[in-house]
Amino acid sequence: MASHTMMNKLAVPVASLALLVVVLLHGVSPALAAIDYKSALTKSLLFFEAQRSGKLPSNQRVVWRGDSALKDGSEAGIDLSGGYYDAGDNVKFGFPYAFTITMLSWAAVDFAQPLKTHGEFDNALAAIRWGTDYLIKAHPEPNVLYGQVGDGNADHECWQRPEDMTTPRPAYKIDAQNPGSDLAGETAAAFAASSLAFKAKDSSYSATLLKHATQLYDFAQSSKGQYQSSIQQAGQFYSSSGYEDELVWAAAWLYRATKDEKYLTDILSSGGTGGVRSQFSWDDKYIGAQILIAKLIADGNVQPNGTWAQAKSDGESFICSCVQKGRNNVKKSPGGMLWFQGWSNLQYTNSAGFILAVYSDYLKATKATLSCPGGNVSPAELLDFARSQVDYILGSNPNKISYMLGFGSNYPTRVHHRAASIVSIKKDPTPVSCKGGFDTYFHVSTPNPNVLEGAIVGGPDQSDSYTDSRDNYSQSEPSTVVNAPLVGLLARVA
C-alpha cells in the first residue's frame, strides 16, 4: 500500500494549488477539503451488502459474496433466511442487529435530504429494508420474537465463509414465558423508526412496520425481563445491562411515529430517563431517547419542565462532555479521537458523533446555542467537532490510516472477518472446512483477498495505536453497529 505521505509528496504542486482555490472560494481548511465524504458515505452503505445473509438480489453490488444460510430457521419450522451477519462472524445476533436498523432509520429520517442530495437515499432505504424484511420474519406472532440464529460458540470455533458454513444454525426466541424486554423494546424502536423512514416512499410497508412496532412494544411492557435470561448464549456475546432504556427509547420512537399520547405517559411513568450517561451504544439507548425528547420540547410537543426538561439537560450534558466543555469530559486520544473503551471503540465514537450532528440541526432549527459548563457551543461548532471525528477515522490521525476499508490508499488489510479473509466462492468454489480455514486464511500474514469496502474496524486504542492483524479482533473486527451511526453522520458532513 502506498502511504498518504508518499501520495501527497508526489502531488504537492497541483493538489496545493487546487486546495488553495477551494479555501479562497469557500473558506474551508485544506484538511477538510481533501476528504471525499461523499465517497465515504457510498462505501459505508456498501458494507451492509457485504454483510447480507440469505438469497442475494440481482442488484447486489458486492459481487464477491454469494448466497448463504438459506435454511436458517428450518429446525424451528420457520423461514429465518436473510438479514445481516453481525460482524466478522456468521451469526445473526438480534439485539445489536435491531440497534443497527434503528440507527440506519434515524439517519434516513433526520438526514433524508442530504442522503438524497448525495444520491444515497435509496441505498439507505435498501439497507434498512434488507434488515426489516428479516425482522418481520423473526416476529411471526405478537409475543414471539426470534433473537438469534446460529451457535455463537460453534461459529467462533470455525473459520469459514458464510457460503460454506457447516456449523449448527439453531434459532433462539423470546416469548411470553421467556421474555426479553430489551430485545423486544429495541426491535420495536427499529420498526417504529423504519416506519418513519418509509412513510413517504412506501406507505403500505410503513404501516406494516408500525404494526410490528406496536405489538413488540406491548410485548416488551407486558412480559418484563432481560433477554439473555431467555436466550442464554446471547449473554456471552451481547449481554444487556438492563431493559429500562430500551422501553423509553422505543416509546420515544413510537410517539414520533404515531403521536399517541400513551407513549409519553409511559415515559413519564418509567421511573426516569437515565440521568447523565457516559456513552450511547447498542446496550445503552438513554442518550438517544434524551435527544428525541429534546426535539419534542423544541417542537412544542411537551413542556420544558419536569421529566422532559431533565432528560434534555442530561442529554446535553453528554454532548458538552464530548466537545470537552462538560464537567466530566470524554477522554480524547492524543490524535483527537473520542475514547470510551478498549473494545471496538469506534462504535461509541461514531454514535457520539451522530448525536452531535443530530443535535446541531435541532439547535439550528430553533436558532439556539448549547450552554455548557465550559461555555456556549454553537450548532456549527457541534457539527465541526463531529466532523473532526469523521476526519480522524478517514485518515487525519497520527497513523495516517483510514479506518474505513477501501477508502484512501492506506487502510487495514488483515481485518478479522471470515468472508473477506477467504477467497471468494465465485473465484474458487472449493469448500473451506471448519478448521481448514484457520491454516489457509486466518494464520497467514497476507492481506485479505476481498476488500470489505466501507467497513469501519473497531479502531485504535486510547494512545492512537492500531495493529493490523486478524488475531487483534478487539481492534480489527468490523460490525454493523460500528457502521450504522456513521452513515447518518457522513450524510450530514458530506
Side-chain angles (χ1 to χ4, degrees):
M1 292 179 296
S3 71
H4 282 301
T5 305
M6 180 66 73
M7 295 290 287
N8 289 342
K9 283 180 179 177
L10 292 174
V12 163
V14 176
S16 297
L17 186 60
L19 289 177
L20 180 59
V21 171
V22 172
V23 172
L24 291 174
L25 289 176
H26 300 287
V28 294
S29 72
L32 296 184
I35 296 178
D36 188 349
Y37 300 117
K38 185 180 181 299
S39 173
L41 171 61
T42 299
K43 292 175 186 294
S44 72
L45 284 163
L46 271 176
F47 166 69
F48 289 94
E49 294 195 19
Q51 293 299 109
R52 284 174 170 172
S53 179
K55 179 74 175 175
L56 300 182
S58 58
N59 62 353
Q60 170 82 6
R61 294 178 293 172
V62 180
V63 295
W64 50 267
R65 281 294 324 284
D67 299 341
S68 62
L70 299 179
K71 296 181 179 179
D72 274 3
S74 58
E75 290 181 21
I78 185 172
D79 176 14
L80 292 176
S81 62
Y84 291 114
Y85 297 118
D86 162 60
D89 52 21
N90 299 326
V91 184
K92 292 184 282 199
F93 288 108
F95 194 44
Y97 183 113
F99 179 71
T100 293
I101 303 307
T102 310
M103 293 306 295
L104 285 174
S105 299
W106 196 353
V109 172
D110 273 28
F111 301 131
Q113 192 51 56
L115 281 166
K116 290 174 182 176
T117 298
H118 299 300
E120 294 297 338
F121 186 68
D122 287 345
N123 286 327
L125 289 187
I128 295 165
R129 186 157 190 159
W130 191 267
T132 50
D133 281 352
Y134 167 80
L135 289 178
I136 289 170
K137 292 180 180 182
H139 183 225
E141 300 172 40
N143 291 357
V144 175
L145 176 64
Y146 284 86
Q148 182 179 324
V149 179
D151 183 317
N153 292 318
D155 180 271
H156 285 197
E157 290 175 4
C158 294
W159 197 260
Q160 294 174 290
R161 56 194 173 197
E163 296 85 355
D164 289 332
M165 271 189 290
T166 57
T167 49
R169 302 293 290 175
Y172 303 88
K173 68 181 179 180
I174 57 172
D175 55 31
Q177 291 73 43
N178 305 280
S181 299
D182 30 27
L183 175 62
E186 180 56 62
T187 311
F191 274 127
S194 58
S195 77
L196 286 165
F198 279 97
K199 195 169 185 178
K201 187 89 170 179
D202 189 336
S203 59
S204 176
Y205 190 63
S206 173
T208 297
L209 296 170
L210 190 56
K211 178 183 176 182
H212 284 278
T214 55
Q215 288 181 349
L216 277 169
Y217 178 79
D218 291 343
F219 172 36
Q221 288 282 13
S222 63
S223 301
K224 298 283 180 68
Q226 288 180 255
Y227 90 110
Q228 64 256 28
S229 297
S230 301
I231 305 177
Q232 294 183 9
Q233 195 195 77
Q236 301 174 41
F237 302 95
Y238 289 99
S239 180
S240 168
S241 57
Y243 56 76
E244 293 81 6
D245 55 325
E246 280 81 23
L247 294 181
V248 173
W249 170 239
W253 273 114
L254 274 158
Y255 177 76
R256 188 167 180 178
T258 67
K259 294 300 185 285
D260 188 333
E261 297 281 335
K262 89 166 193 171
Y263 297 111
L264 298 183
T265 301
D266 284 353
I267 293 173
L268 289 174
S269 62
S270 66
T273 55
V276 178
R277 314 303 291 180
S278 60
Q279 63 185 38
F280 176 46
S281 72
W282 60 265
D283 181 40
D284 191 337
K285 323 297 166 49
Y286 272 126
I287 290 166
Q290 291 164 357
I291 298 309
L292 291 179
I293 289 169
K295 179 169 172 56
L296 294 181
I297 293 175
D299 292 345
N301 297 121
V302 297
Q303 295 301 309
N305 53 36
T307 297
W308 308 123
Q310 188 61 54
K312 177 176 182 284
S313 174
D314 291 339
E316 289 181 338
S317 290
F318 172 76
I319 293 172
C320 290
S321 295
C322 287
V323 299
Q324 310 297 295
K325 290 190 176 183
R327 292 190 176 88
N328 186 24
N329 291 336
V330 176
K331 182 180 175 63
K332 288 177 72 176
S333 71
M337 173 187 65
L338 288 176
W339 192 84
F340 296 88
Q341 65 170 53
W343 190 296
S344 197
N345 178 68
L346 289 183
Q347 198 268 286
Y348 307 91
T349 305
N350 289 342
S351 296
F354 180 94
I355 291 294
L356 267 58
V358 163
Y359 209 57
S360 170
D361 281 1
Y362 294 173
L363 288 174
K364 187 177 180 181
T366 56
K367 296 181 171 60
T369 58
L370 176 61
S371 178
C372 294
N376 290 343
V377 184
S378 70
E381 288 174 310
L382 275 188
L383 190 61
D384 282 346
F385 191 95
R387 184 183 286 109
S388 75
Q389 299 304 296
V390 175
D391 293 349
Y392 180 101
I393 291 167
L394 297 181
S396 294
N397 56 64
N399 297 320
K400 299 294 186 286
I401 293 173
S402 166
Y403 294 109
M404 172 181 278
L405 308 187
F407 186 87
S409 58
N410 186 22
Y411 49 82
T413 63
R414 300 171 186 84
V415 296
H416 184 95
H417 192 277
R418 286 158 178 78
S421 70
I422 299 173
V423 65
S424 170
I425 196 168
K426 306 283 185 67
K427 287 190 174 181
D428 184 354
T430 307
V432 176
S433 67
C434 168
K435 300 298 184 183
F438 282 107
D439 290 338
T440 309
Y441 296 105
F442 184 83
H443 297 299
V444 294
S445 59
T446 51
N448 290 349
N450 309 300
V451 177
L452 192 63
E453 203 165 7
I456 305 295
V457 293
D461 64 19
Q462 59 186 314
S463 302
D464 299 307
S465 176
Y466 180 84
T467 303
D468 183 17
S469 166
R470 295 179 198 95
D471 283 314
N472 184 26
Y473 45 83
S474 67
Q475 289 190 325
S476 71
E477 185 171 17
S479 71
T480 62
V481 291
V482 178
N483 262 64
L486 187 66
V487 171
L489 178 53
L490 281 168
R492 183 61 186 85
V493 303

